[in-house]
Amino acid sequence: MSGTAGQVVQAQNIQGLHFHAPPLPAHHSEPVPWQLPTDLRGFVNRVAERQAMDRLLAEHPSAAQVLVVTGTAGVGKTSLTLHWAHAVRAQFPDGQLYANLHGYDPQPPAAVAQVLERFLRALGVPAAAIPADPEAMAAAYRSQMAGRRMLIVLDNASQAAQVRPLLPGAPGSLVVVTSRHRLSGLSVREGARHLTLEVLAEQDAVDLLRAVTADYRSEDDPAELTQLARLCARLPLALRIAAERAAGRPRMPLDDLIQDLRDESSLWDALSSEDEEESEAVRSVFAWSYRALSADAARLFRMLGLHPTGEFSAGAAAALTAVGTRRTRRLLDGLVATHMVDQIAPDRYRFHDLLRAYAIDQARGEQEPQESEQALRRVLAWYLHTADAAQARIAPQEPRVPLDPLDPEVEPASLADEAASMQWFEHEQENLVAATRTAAALGLDRYAWQLAVVLRAFYMIRNPFQDWLAVSLVGLEAARCEGDRHAQAELHESLGMAFTQSHQLDQAAEQYRAALEVRRELGDPFGEALTLNGFGLLELRQRQLFGARQAFERARTLFQGLDDAYWAPLVAVNLAEAELALARYEEAEPLVRAGLETFRARANRWGEGNTLRLLSLIQLETRREDEALDTAQQAVDLALELNSPVAEGHWLAQLGTAQRTAGHPEDALGSYHRAAVIQRTLGDRSREALAWDGAGQAYLDLGRAEEASDFHRRAAAVHGELGDRWQRAVALSHLADALDATGGSADASRHRSEALALLGEFTDPRAERLRERLTRG
């Protein structure tokens, strides 16, 4: 089993990370991501610039290219890029990736590691195959991009360092970067081309105004449209806002609207220098449009500037204003109509970074600090309560965090089922990280640590390691600031899980020990038992078998003392895993059979199948080959019923071992092959290598020693890359046996010597038995 903090996690389900993922085999159906945001409606002009982009694409269609689109804020870099990207997307059959790097937003810039992780997921890389180290992640990204023809749009980059790790290493793809700066370093090292956007030519600016207003006011004087274009500094963002306002007042003379804008502009003249003309023109248009909003719409606009990021849902917007979701949707429709906010999906809205900065300024100038703080508290509480409701759907067995009640005016999002809950988490992933950081920055420590604890349920399922670690560290510091020791224990444990899953095992052990110390200090036997279970799984993974057994025994005793009928048998199965690894079969089998009975009684099919796998292992070790074969087949049949590739790939390997031991090496080869293909798809290199090693043994049984050697050699290499000393030693011992059969005794001796050296740290009975066999040769 695997899952959230409150679930038992069988150690065999958490394997080594895939640090340098090779491209999947050609027959594998790779996902095609389509991440481009919606194209801007009514896009006009920029003909010359679009032609220049077309020429770049035509010159070297198979080369890896980088184009940096630069220009002042509001000049239309993103609009042009997205419009062109939509027009040429058919030339990129492997899809598009998009990331807003937030280089100029009021919020902190996007972390490169988080962008890489999301790109890798979009490319179909399973969570188990995504490394935690940013450099290894960038290498995996380059490997995945090799052989693909994709369009990557990196929006709002402020530095070349944000861009470089996101560039493909092989030809075939195009990266388009938008920035207010030239990012000259990309020209020197990456040969980037540049396209600089100037403000629109006067006639083009007038054409844009006409395109928006034509259906509403066809009689406007061209000279007045020219005046309006000049007042907008011929910047597309300002022009669209002005045009939307003019279109919304079809009976108001354009000259009156122009005079209003002139009056607004004069407010900024005294504060502006000559070289600030463009930015102040944009600000004047913002103010002009803002002052025309109704009082409720203007308040919503200000409040939205307080949101932790520039993208939000109607529910989050309603929490900020406390006026109800239905009313908020109508107000948002008005802001969208005036181009003050963009709607990017049915329930998703986004600020332009300039408009968001303006909204923040208005909130500071027109609201009392207490009103803004209350709004932030409401939206943070909305995220917390909705996340808690989602957790109840996706992990109902997880202990819940007691939350303060929401304000009566605020309602959490309605989530119908587990699928809707997971979808909400995925849509709000960036906002949830930002909400946790915002809460901590404002000294709202309780919100910060509660968010971190609640989000653990989602993180354990999806394994977004960068977000998980960032949120947990922020939450832990917040818990320390508030002096909440229970919260600290929860977050130490969450970090232990995150570090374990991301293969940072030393850090994981440190966090588990810290959690245990706090649990014992608080006299929390239930929490201590859960932490001991997690620590035992970590020890089992590191093949610290005596420590693992001790941790599981203590956890089981604590659960039994609490009369916990749910957890005691679950931990007992983990204890059986440790006993089995220690070759204590008589002790392991009763625990496994009791666990099997429990899982069947609870209709836990996954738990039943995994326990059948363990029982098959015990039966093999105690020379009951026919029983072992039947038991392993039952497990695989269950996996097929569950339609679970994770279960099928894992349990097939055990079936292969049972088939081989029972004298059916041909059948075993089929099982190992299927297991390896599944593990390659899932990105679990460790289990893939275990299947290769099993295939090598089957080949040797068939008298095909050279093929056996090849498979054992590949398995040993992967285990070495993953730092798994035990499995590498096992694979090397099998390689030596295969080489003996080919007459390569010298090489066999060398591999046995290395295996013996690797076994030096292991003192369990299996290790002793393998050491004796290697010594005998």
Side-chain angles (χ1 to χ4, degrees):
M1 291 158 290
S2 64
T4 61
Q7 290 178 305
V8 62
V9 184
Q10 290 286 356
Q12 291 298 323
N13 295 330
I14 309 172
Q15 294 290 348
L17 287 174
H18 188 171
F19 278 87
H20 299 284
L24 292 172
H27 64 270
H28 178 76
S29 178
E30 295 174 337
V32 178
W34 302 94
Q35 294 190 341
L36 288 180
T38 306
D39 191 10
L40 181 69
R41 62 181 175 87
F43 186 91
V44 296
N45 305 311
R46 299 297 189 191
V47 175
E49 290 86 350
R50 282 183 281 159
Q51 289 175 344
M53 297 170 84
D54 288 340
R55 285 195 299 273
L56 172 68
L57 188 57
E59 284 175 10
H60 303 286
S62 62
Q65 300 178 82
V66 181
L67 172 64
V68 181
V69 180
T70 62
T72 190
V75 79
K77 300 180 293 295
T78 299
S79 297
L80 168 65
T81 297
L82 292 179
H83 179 73
W84 181 80
H86 278 280
V88 302
R89 64 182 181 179
Q91 299 187 48
F92 298 93
D94 296 316
Q96 322 98 31
L97 298 172
Y98 171 86
N100 185 346
L101 302 182
H102 300 295
Y104 304 98
D105 282 11
Q107 72 192 75
V112 172
Q114 289 173 315
V115 177
L116 278 169
E117 185 171 58
R118 288 166 191 168
F119 277 6
L120 285 167
R121 287 175 177 273
L123 292 169
V125 180
I130 299 177
D133 176 69
E135 289 188 12
M137 206 182 302
Y141 169 68
R142 290 191 295 272
S143 294
Q144 287 295 322
M145 289 297 296
R148 303 196 200 217
R149 182 163 173 77
M150 299 190 70
L151 178 62
I152 301 103
V153 177
L154 305 177
D155 207 4
N156 294 313
S158 59
Q159 298 176 0
Q162 281 185 292
V163 173
R164 283 198 177 97
L166 304 173
L167 300 179
S173 295
L174 172 65
V175 181
V176 184
V177 184
T178 71
S179 179
R180 296 180 197 175
H181 299 95
R182 283 186 58 81
L183 307 182
S184 300
L186 294 178
S187 300
V188 176
R189 288 178 52 181
E190 283 74 28
R193 306 283 191 90
H194 286 83
L195 176 66
T196 301
L197 292 194
E198 305 291 348
V199 296
L200 292 174
E202 194 165 273
Q203 187 56 51
D204 288 343
V206 171
D207 289 345
L208 192 156
L209 291 171
R210 281 195 184 281
V212 178
T213 62
D215 292 339
Y216 304 93
R217 39 189 317 134
S218 57
E219 303 301 324
D220 286 333
D221 185 338
E224 290 180 342
L225 286 171
T226 300
Q227 291 181 53
L228 182 56
R230 289 172 180 170
L231 282 169
C232 294
R234 308 198 307 276
L235 287 166
L237 177 62
L239 286 163
R240 286 191 174 276
I241 292 173
E244 295 287 359
R245 184 173 176 192
R249 291 157 179 77
R251 293 183 177 82
M252 188 174 184
L254 189 59
D255 188 57
D256 290 353
L257 288 168
I258 290 170
Q259 189 55 51
D260 283 350
L261 181 52
R262 279 204 178 103
D263 292 344
E264 191 65 57
S265 298
S266 67
L267 296 175
W268 304 101
D269 286 347
L271 302 175
S272 305
S273 61
E274 197 168 315
D275 59 356
E276 292 176 324
E277 178 184 355
E278 291 169 354
S279 61
E280 294 307 338
V282 170
R283 189 175 181 87
S284 297
V285 173
F286 291 172
W288 178 60
S289 188
Y290 171 71
R291 298 192 199 289
L293 298 172
S294 68
D296 286 346
R299 179 172 179 266
L300 173 59
F301 178 80
R302 293 193 304 271
M303 292 291 196
L304 290 173
L306 302 174
H307 189 268
T309 74
E311 184 179 313
F312 44 85
S313 65
L320 282 163
T321 57
V323 299
T325 304
R326 183 175 297 178
R327 171 68 175 154
T328 299
R329 287 187 193 279
R330 290 197 295 269
L331 294 173
L332 282 168
D333 288 343
L335 293 178
V336 170
T338 58
H339 213 68
M340 300 293 276
V341 167
D342 294 325
Q343 185 167 8
I344 58 174
D347 190 39
R348 304 300 292 178
Y349 303 85
R350 182 183 291 162
F351 261 134
H352 188 285
D353 52 2
L354 291 179
L355 280 160
R356 185 177 177 215
Y358 180 77
I360 291 171
D361 282 348
Q362 300 319 298
R364 288 171 179 162
E366 298 185 32
Q367 293 179 182
E368 292 295 328
Q370 184 178 2
E371 183 183 6
S372 294
E373 182 180 329
Q374 289 172 345
L376 267 170
R377 283 179 179 271
R378 285 194 301 270
V379 77
L380 293 173
W382 181 85
Y383 278 114
L384 176 58
H385 278 260
T386 306
D388 179 66
Q391 177 201 315
R393 295 284 190 184
I394 67 172
Q397 75 294 327
E398 180 81 356
R400 305 286 289 279
V401 177
L403 305 180
D404 296 333
L406 275 173
D407 288 356
E409 303 89 352
V410 179
E411 294 182 5
S414 178
L415 303 171
D417 52 27
E418 181 179 353
S421 298
M422 290 303 298
Q423 185 178 58
W424 182 84
F425 269 128
E426 287 161 358
H427 285 165
E428 300 292 352
Q429 193 168 332
E430 184 177 344
N431 284 339
L432 289 163
V433 176
T436 307
R437 286 179 167 147
T438 298
L442 294 173
L444 302 175
D445 295 317
R446 186 170 179 80
Y447 285 133
W449 71 253
Q450 287 181 333
L451 275 165
V453 171
V454 169
L455 289 173
R456 180 176 60 190
F458 169 68
Y459 291 154
M460 279 293 292
I461 294 170
R462 284 291 189 263
N463 283 331
F465 296 125
Q466 300 301 317
D467 288 353
W468 189 357
L469 292 169
V471 163
S472 298
L473 289 168
V474 170
L476 178 59
E477 185 58 32
R480 286 170 176 156
C481 289
E482 199 180 40
D484 192 310
R485 298 289 280 162
H486 284 284
Q488 290 173 48
E490 291 292 331
L491 288 160
H492 279 303
E493 185 162 338
S494 184
L495 283 164
M497 296 172 190
F499 281 125
T500 298
Q501 296 287 66
S502 60
H503 206 68
Q504 301 174 78
L505 304 187
D506 290 342
Q507 295 95 316
E510 181 182 339
Q511 294 296 331
Y512 276 124
R513 291 189 186 100
L516 276 174
E517 181 180 344
V518 177
R519 300 283 201 201
R520 287 165 177 163
E521 172 194 319
L522 294 171
D524 175 11
F526 182 81
E528 181 184 349
L530 285 178
T531 302
L532 280 166
N533 182 55
F535 186 70
L537 292 169
L538 174 64
E539 293 278 84
L540 198 55
R541 178 169 180 161
Q542 295 177 299
R543 202 170 177 81
Q544 302 298 317
L545 300 180
F546 298 105
R549 183 177 66 182
Q550 183 179 21
F552 291 138
E553 285 177 336
R554 174 61 179 158
R556 184 185 182 208
T557 299
L558 287 170
F559 281 130
Q560 288 173 333
L562 294 167
D563 292 325
D564 191 304
Y566 180 84
W567 279 103
L570 293 176
V571 175
V573 173
N574 280 346
L575 175 58
E577 182 103 23
E579 298 284 22
L580 176 56
L582 286 165
R584 292 163 53 92
Y585 310 121
E586 292 184 3
E587 291 80 2
E589 185 162 353
L591 296 171
V592 167
R593 291 195 178 278
L596 189 59
E597 183 179 340
T598 299
F599 293 135
R600 284 174 171 162
R602 294 175 183 167
N604 183 339
R605 307 287 275 168
W606 216 109
E608 179 185 350
N610 201 48
T611 308
L612 285 169
R613 177 186 66 84
L614 292 177
L615 180 58
S616 177
L617 274 169
I618 294 170
Q619 290 165 337
L620 281 181
E621 293 291 347
T622 53
R623 303 183 183 279
R624 292 174 283 167
E625 289 86 357
D626 291 341
E627 291 179 41
L629 183 57
D630 180 65
T631 302
Q633 187 64 61
Q634 290 180 50
V636 173
D637 290 344
L638 268 177
L640 295 172
E641 288 178 26
L642 291 167
N643 193 27
S644 169
V646 172
E648 185 185 357
H650 192 24
W651 303 341
L652 266 170
Q654 175 56 30
L655 177 60
T657 302
Q659 290 166 329
R660 185 179 58 78
T661 307
H664 308 293
E666 298 93 343
D667 294 341
L669 274 179
S671 296
Y672 286 132
H673 174 74
R674 173 67 180 157
V677 169
I678 292 172
Q679 299 302 351
R680 168 66 64 92
T681 302
L682 294 172
D684 194 325
R685 292 186 76 201
S686 178
R687 286 188 185 166
E688 185 182 3
L690 289 171
W692 288 344
D693 198 48
Q697 291 180 285
Y699 273 121
L700 188 59
D701 290 346
L702 289 166
R704 297 160 66 177
E706 288 188 4
E707 288 161 291
S709 300
D710 290 340
F711 275 90
H712 291 314
R713 192 174 284 109
R714 291 169 68 190
V718 171
H719 290 311
E721 290 174 24
L722 297 176
D724 191 329
R725 296 169 65 83
W726 168 255
Q727 292 296 349
R728 178 167 170 81
V730 171
L732 286 172
S733 73
H734 293 155
L735 174 58
D737 293 340
L739 289 171
D740 279 341
T742 65
S745 56
D747 284 342
S749 177
R750 177 168 55 84
H751 292 308
R752 285 193 177 96
S753 295
E754 183 184 347
L756 280 168
L758 290 168
L759 290 173
E761 65 185 83
F762 301 109
T763 58
D764 59 89
R766 282 178 182 272
E768 292 294 343
R769 194 165 61 194
L770 179 57
R771 189 179 287 109
E772 290 173 8
R773 189 168 72 81
L774 288 165
T775 302
R776 290 195 307 268

